[in-house]
Every structure is written in structure tokens, then in C-alpha cells.
Amino acid sequence: MPLRDDYCRLCWVQARTEAAAAGDKPESFLPHLRHQQLFFYGLTALGDRRPKPSAAKHGRRGRPRRPDPAPAPPPPAVWCQLALFEARRDLTGRATDEDAHRGNPWLAWARHSAHRLGEARGWPRKTRLNIDQALVIVLTGHAEGDVVRYSEVFPVLRSRGLSIERTTEVLDHIGVFLDDRPSSFELWLESKLDGLATGIAHDVGDWARLLHDGGPRSRARHAATVWNYLNRIRPVLLEWSNRYDHLREVTRDDVLAHLETVQGSQRQTTIIALRSLFGRAKKNGTIFKNPTSRIRVGQREEGVIQPMEPGHINGSVAAVTHPADRLILALAAVHAARSAAIRRLRLDDLDIGNRRLSIDGRTRRLDELTLQVAREWLEFRRRRWPDTANPHLLINKHTALGTGPIGKSSVAGPALHRQTATLERLRMDRQLEEALVHGPDPLHLAEVFGLSEKTAIRYANSARALLQRDLESDPATSPRTHGSNP
């Protein structure tokens, strides 16, 4: 038996019990012990059996909850001396909570604003305490006229595991945040202009920024359009940079010589991008003549859209198991909804009682499949994020704390990775099926799915070709010739 100062464990327990009652040390009671109370292991234990007061004095275990921040108004606008130069602040070493009680009006206002934002958007208590700690670190010593930059708070908050996105949201709400991160588009554009002649790079950069940002007389294009245009013409721009210093030196023969090396959709995209580039340069006065004028783009011949195999569709259906993924799959396969339209859906767009669904302003009736998966998702959403204030139908753990839609990667998701029947293929197959069942009518397709004129005609032509092919192969038993009523 293990001993401590020639006494066993039971002796020490007995001595501590008697010493606690008498208010003395256990060592003074050890020589007087002559007997022990035996007990079965795990059934009882020696100790003070007197009733003890409950440890939960505040209705919960542990210490009481931290009280909510007191209401605080915005700090009054006062005169301040303008800074002669910008100096980066060192935010390290500000993790002590004593700094939060120094009476800084900016910190008090930020904590109160964070509390109100958290209540409005359903932030859990852990997130609110996380943001409160980050505000103490960032705003301690903040004065009128100071600006909190993203480059200053990012390394400090990230090293401590604090929320950067929610903290900067609060800082932006009170008007002291400056996002000094470089634009991803500018970084990409700088890499694409590398290697071009100085004069050519200047015109190409001005053209690309106009496409991306828009102007007084031109609308902003999608970022993918700018990437596609510049990536397509960059090889020929590098070739011209080896011979010329400016775009005004490029001739019509140079453009035609390059167009002979590409064909199909690549040729069409190349001539469209070059016409846009030279048109912008001529408008700015950096070239005298547009070398792409009177060069025809040509009509692109579209192939026949083919229906998908049932095995591919069944594979995608079996691959999705999450309630959100199942709803996304149903919206694409049944209602031909695009990924962007699915991301924009709000709770008000889904009317369970009247079995109605509005997608991009077009109301349609809910089928049984979509109704079932929608109910499953709403139940999962209610149990997982009961306090969220996000008005969008589809949310995740990142957007549940805010009000924005889910990202593009969340719509595609890893569930359909390496599946033949992607969301885009399922959407196209649904539109083709509508044309096959109800007849190749472009007006009907445009009305049901909101397609453009050219797109509706393309699906109608594909359906007409498929119906004609089936009729020629077996006119008596072709299932495509027997459509159901609308």
C-alpha cells in the first residue's frame, strides 16, 4: 500500500475532514487516528456530507455571464490635428481586458454597435465574445481621425484565431475601417501586361479596366468576359510587342495573318476582342485607323444539343445527400434555374402554403419533388441556425452570420465533383426536355424559362432535329412524337 509520511490515503482523508471541521491543519490530527470507516469503491466517498450551497448562484454553472455592453452614442466630432504622414500602428500586446475599461468612447460605441448587429443578425454568443475581444485589441487608444486598416488587423486577429470578417464589418459600420487590400483584378491585369511593349500595355490596360469597371457610356462587363478576351488575344499582343511599340503600328494584314491561325469559336472570340480593343484605342485617339474594321466575325454554327443519359442523372441524384445540395439539384433539374438565380433566392420567393416558387421574377408552381426537398432543407435550416437573420433561402455556416448569399463554390459543391450530370448540364437537359415534350416553340421556351431570343431558337432547333431523327428511325414507336399536354 502506498504511504505518505507513514500514513495511508484513508488516514489523510480522515485527517483533512476533521481538520476542516476544526479549522486546523491535517498533520495535527494524524497521530490521533485509531480507526477508519470502510466503504465500497464507487458507491460512496469520505468527506463532508453536510448540505452545501449550490454553486450556481446565477442560474448557471461557473461564473456569471458578462453583461451586455452599455448603450453608447457615437463620439462627438471634435477638431483634431491632421497627421503629417501615415504611421503603421503596432496592435500586438493589447489582449488584456483591463484596456476595455479605460473610457475610450470609440471602443464603447464599437462594442455597443457590435452587440446590436449581433442581435439583429443572430450571432451566437461565442461569436459576439470573439468580436468583443478583437475590438478591445484594435480600438484601444483609438482617437478621432484614426483609421484602422485591413493590413494592420489581419495578422493580429488571425494569429489569435479571432473573426476578421465580422470585426471589419463592425469597424466599417462605425466608419473607421479602410480596406487597403490590393484589387485581385489589378494583380491579374498586371501579370497579363507583363512582357508587352509600354505603348501597347498602356492601351490594353485602359481597355481592360473600362470593360471591368464600365464608364459614362459603357456598362461594366462580367469579370469572366474580361479574362476571356485578354487571355485570347495576349499571344498576338506579345508577338506584336516584339515588332511594334504602339498599337497604331499594327496593320490590317497583321490582324488577318493572325486570324488565319485560329478557327471556330477561337477565331470569333479573337476578332471580337480585337475589335473592342482597337475601337477603344481609336476613341481615345491613340491610333489613327482601326485595322479590324470591315473584318466580318461570321455566324457561329451551333451543334444539336443532346439529351442526357438516365444513368448520368441517376448518378448525380445518388451523389447528393445534404439537404441544401438536394434542393439545389432539384431547382436546376426541374426548374432549370441557373446557379446565380439559385444563390439569389430568398425566403419570400418560396411559398409553401400556395405551392409557388419565384425565380428571377417568374412564378411557377411547386412540384412534389421540389416541395419535399424544400421542406427538408427548411427544417434543417431552422435546427442548424435558429437565430439567423439572413433573408436568403440557401445559407451556410459563413453566410448565416450575415445577410449575403452563398458563394459560387457552395452552389456547385463537392458533391457533383467528377459527375457527368453537372448543374449546368441538368439545366440544359430540362430546357431541351420542355422543347421535346411541348413542341419546338421558341416563344413557349422564352416564356417558361426566360430565355433570350437566340437561346430559345437554339433549343427549338435542337428539339426539332431530335424529333425528326427519331421519326425517321422509327415513326411508329418513337416516344418523342407523343408529347403530353401542357
Side-chain angles (χ1 to χ4, degrees), residues 338-392:
R338 294 181 179 271
S339 299
I342 295 176
R343 294 171 54 229
R344 291 192 297 264
L345 281 177
R346 294 177 172 258
L347 292 172
D348 297 339
D349 296 330
L350 180 62
D351 189 353
I352 296 293
N354 296 323
R355 304 187 65 169
R356 297 286 182 179
L357 175 64
S358 297
I359 302 178
D360 283 346
R362 294 181 178 274
T363 304
R364 60 193 68 194
R365 186 168 181 81
L366 275 178
D367 57 286
E368 289 295 337
L369 174 61
T370 309
L371 180 62
Q372 178 183 352
V373 296
R375 285 175 174 172
E376 293 176 359
W377 161 246
L378 291 176
E379 178 62 22
F380 177 85
R381 186 183 192 270
R382 182 189 64 81
R383 288 187 285 103
R384 180 66 177 84
W385 301 285
D387 299 326
T388 181
N390 196 318
H392 291 85

Side-chain angles (χ1 to χ4, degrees), residues 118-166:
E119 287 187 334
R121 299 184 180 179
W123 292 350
R125 179 173 177 80
K126 182 179 179 180
T127 302
R128 284 184 285 177
L129 294 177
N130 184 301
I131 296 174
D132 187 79
Q133 182 181 358
L135 292 176
V136 171
I137 297 174
V138 174
L139 293 181
T140 298
H142 188 88
E144 178 72 24
D146 291 347
V147 177
V148 181
R149 295 174 176 82
Y150 185 91
S151 58
E152 297 173 346
V153 302
F154 177 78
V156 177
L157 299 185
R158 186 179 184 182
S159 63
R160 301 172 185 268
L162 301 177
S163 175
I164 302 174
E165 181 180 1
R166 304 305 163 195

Side-chain angles (χ1 to χ4, degrees), residues 3-248:
L3 300 178
R4 175 186 173 188
D5 297 337
D6 297 330
Y7 291 94
C8 66
R9 174 179 174 274
L10 290 178
C11 294
W12 278 101
V13 172
Q14 186 72 24
R16 281 195 296 266
T17 302
E18 296 180 5
D24 203 348
K25 295 183 178 181
E27 289 79 2
S28 60
F29 290 88
L30 287 173
H32 306 289
L33 295 178
R34 294 293 182 269
H35 61 275
Q36 296 290 347
Q37 175 66 47
L38 300 179
F39 58 92
F40 290 101
Y41 178 79
L43 297 181
T44 184
L46 291 177
D48 189 2
R49 297 171 182 260
R50 294 175 297 178
K52 298 181 180 180
S54 175
K57 297 182 179 180
H58 302 274
R60 59 183 297 274
R61 293 185 126 187
R63 62 181 181 180
R65 290 183 180 271
R66 182 183 301 179
D68 296 335
V78 296
W79 179 88
C80 62
Q81 177 66 45
L82 298 179
L84 297 178
F85 56 89
E86 295 183 358
R88 296 287 179 176
R89 298 184 303 164
D90 184 12
L91 300 180
T92 58
R94 293 188 177 184
T96 57
D97 195 51
E98 290 81 3
D99 296 333
H101 304 283
R102 295 184 178 179
N104 190 329
W106 287 97
L107 179 57
W109 183 35
R111 299 178 75 176
H112 175 61
S113 300
H115 177 69
R116 294 184 60 184
L117 282 176
E119 287 187 334
R121 299 184 180 179
W123 292 350
R125 179 173 177 80
K126 182 179 179 180
T127 302
R128 284 184 285 177
L129 294 177
N130 184 301
I131 296 174
D132 187 79
Q133 182 181 358
L135 292 176
V136 171
I137 297 174
V138 174
L139 293 181
T140 298
H142 188 88
E144 178 72 24
D146 291 347
V147 177
V148 181
R149 295 174 176 82
Y150 185 91
S151 58
E152 297 173 346
V153 302
F154 177 78
V156 177
L157 299 185
R158 186 179 184 182
S159 63
R160 301 172 185 268
L162 301 177
S163 175
I164 302 174
E165 181 180 1
R166 304 305 163 195
T167 303
T168 54
E169 184 178 356
V170 176
L171 295 175
D172 184 66
H173 180 74
I174 65 176
V176 299
F177 178 67
L178 175 62
D179 192 352
D180 58 350
R181 290 176 293 180
S183 172
S184 59
F185 175 78
E186 289 295 333
L187 295 177
W188 171 84
L189 181 60
E190 182 180 355
S191 65
K192 294 300 178 180
L193 297 180
D194 186 26
L196 301 182
T198 304
I200 296 179
H202 179 270
D203 290 340
V204 174
D206 178 75
W207 164 71
R209 293 185 182 93
L210 179 68
L211 289 179
H212 184 265
D213 302 331
R217 295 180 178 273
S218 60
R219 61 181 179 85
R221 303 296 181 89
H222 196 276
T225 302
V226 187
W227 298 339
N228 188 22
Y229 281 2
L230 188 50
N231 287 332
R232 179 58 58 194
I233 65 175
R234 188 172 185 269
V236 68
L237 294 177
L238 290 174
E239 179 185 349
W240 290 341
S241 297
N242 295 330
R243 293 180 290 164
Y244 308 130
D245 295 328
H246 300 278
L247 286 180
R248 58 175 172 266

Side-chain angles (χ1 to χ4, degrees), residues 412-423:
L416 296 180
H417 184 59
R418 294 182 179 179
Q419 293 290 333
T420 303
T422 60
L423 292 181

Side-chain angles (χ1 to χ4, degrees), residues 380-447:
F380 177 85
R381 186 183 192 270
R382 182 189 64 81
R383 288 187 285 103
R384 180 66 177 84
W385 301 285
D387 299 326
T388 181
N390 196 318
H392 291 85
L393 176 62
L394 292 167
I395 59 175
N396 52 29
K397 63 180 181 180
H398 302 290
T399 61
L401 304 180
T403 57
I406 59 177
K408 297 180 181 179
S409 59
S410 300
V411 176
L416 296 180
H417 184 59
R418 294 182 179 179
Q419 293 290 333
T420 303
T422 60
L423 292 181
E424 183 64 17
R425 292 288 304 275
L426 290 172
R427 183 188 67 84
M428 297 176 60
D429 188 73
R430 173 65 184 93
Q431 295 173 162
L432 179 62
E433 179 192 21
E434 184 74 18
L436 292 172
V437 173
H438 296 279
D441 184 5
L443 296 179
H444 175 75
L445 296 176
E447 178 64 24

